[in-house]
Amino acid sequence: MATPFSIVVICRNESDGIAHTLSGLQGLSDDIVVYDTGSNDGTQAIVRDFPVRLIEGVWKGFGPTKNAANALAKHDWILSLDADEVPDSTLRAELMEWAPASVDAVYACSFLNYIGDQPIRFGEWGWDRHIRLFNRTRVQWDAEPVHEQLQFPAAVEVLRLRGKIQHRTVRDWNDHRNKMRQYAQLNAQKYFARGKAAPLWKLWLSPPFTFLHYYLIKLGFLDGMAGWQCAWLTARYTYWKYARLRQLYRS
């Protein structure tokens, strides 16, 4: 018999895609929690059209907000998703029959990321994999302001799920650029709080190295122009991050 789990989705102003996400989750769980942190674009009205639990809460940062939402779920096993993520048919089939190996097991999923309607199969995103299924009594998100991570018990066992999570990460290249700028600002603040150095050589050498790593070594060129643009924007993100970090130290 399959083990019940809750699906927890964090969202804010996701009216463009939340219906697609919730449609793709129907039938997977008897407890789908949508934790909305202040949408004002009609997202909540769309969510109310689906048989899910809409809970309104405050934004506490990525990790703390996810922990608060997980605490409201019906089941201890949590499938944690963003509002632009949907399991593909292979992953759905496995989840319908899934049972945990142990309470300390966590489950990783491969991701297929999209820019608009174009899948990105190589480069930085081509090897994307994240842990998204876990027991909340054993695992919590950390309190990092960006790129939050799960904190595991010592005896954790990381297992793989078949299939992929389809991630409609950005609507277009302008959206992608804006998100990378935002993440660069947040990561610079995180580095500054930790006292991480920002030497001038990192500002100028890290971006071209990043581009070459993802475009050549990680085979981004196989995605054509999209692969070039992804590698270029990641290199720009690296530059923006260290430029902002140096600015924080100067001020």
Side-chain angles (χ1 to χ4, degrees), residues 10 62-68 70 78 80-82 130-134 139-144 147-151:
I10 307 295
F62 287 96
T65 300
K66 289 184 177 183
N67 287 334
N70 291 345
I78 305 292
S80 180
L81 297 174
D82 292 339
H130 301 284
I131 294 167
R132 288 304 179 86
L133 181 58
F134 53 85
V139 175
Q140 294 279 307
W141 294 97
D142 64 22
E144 293 294 341
H147 294 159
E148 69 281 6
Q149 300 289 327
L150 288 168
Q151 298 174 314

Side-chain angles (χ1 to χ4, degrees), residues 26-199:
Q26 297 307 302
L28 271 179
S29 171
D30 65 345
D31 184 46
I32 301 176
V33 176
V34 178
Y35 191 89
D36 186 277
T37 61
S39 292
N40 55 18
D41 68 341
T43 295
Q44 295 179 7
I46 297 172
V47 172
R48 291 189 181 101
D49 287 336
F50 290 86
V52 304
R53 286 197 290 140
L54 173 63
I55 299 173
E56 298 179 55
V58 298
W59 177 254
K60 304 177 181 180
F62 287 96
T65 300
K66 289 184 177 183
N67 287 334
N70 291 345
L72 300 172
K74 175 181 175 181
H75 304 296
D76 285 335
W77 284 98
I78 305 292
L79 177 62
S80 180
L81 297 174
D82 292 339
D84 53 7
E85 298 173 353
V86 182
D88 69 5
S89 59
T90 302
L91 182 54
R92 277 186 62 92
E94 181 166 15
L95 289 171
M96 295 289 287
E97 300 178 355
W98 169 83
S102 75
V103 72
D104 287 323
V106 297
Y107 291 83
C109 307
S110 295
F111 276 56
L112 179 59
N113 297 288
Y114 289 78
I115 292 181
D117 293 324
Q118 180 170 0
I120 306 298
R121 302 184 185 278
F122 301 95
E124 180 183 11
W125 291 353
W127 320 100
D128 210 10
R129 185 182 304 145
H130 301 284
I131 294 167
R132 288 304 179 86
L133 181 58
F134 53 85
N135 191 299
R136 68 182 175 188
T137 67
R138 297 292 196 272
V139 175
Q140 294 279 307
W141 294 97
D142 64 22
E144 293 294 341
V146 66
H147 294 159
E148 69 281 6
Q149 300 289 327
L150 288 168
Q151 298 174 314
F152 305 124
V156 70
E157 182 181 14
V158 180
L159 302 174
R160 289 280 306 277
L161 293 170
R162 296 188 301 275
K164 296 179 183 292
I165 289 178
Q166 296 179 328
H167 184 199
R168 302 279 175 172
T169 179
V170 288
R171 292 184 294 273
D172 51 37
W173 291 106
N174 284 333
D175 187 25
H176 185 24
R177 180 187 177 90
N178 291 337
K179 283 191 174 183
M180 295 297 270
R181 276 193 174 276
Q182 179 185 12
Y183 285 139
Q185 296 287 319
L186 291 171
N187 265 317
Q189 292 167 14
K190 180 172 74 173
Y191 288 174
F192 181 71
R194 292 179 175 180
K196 185 169 180 176

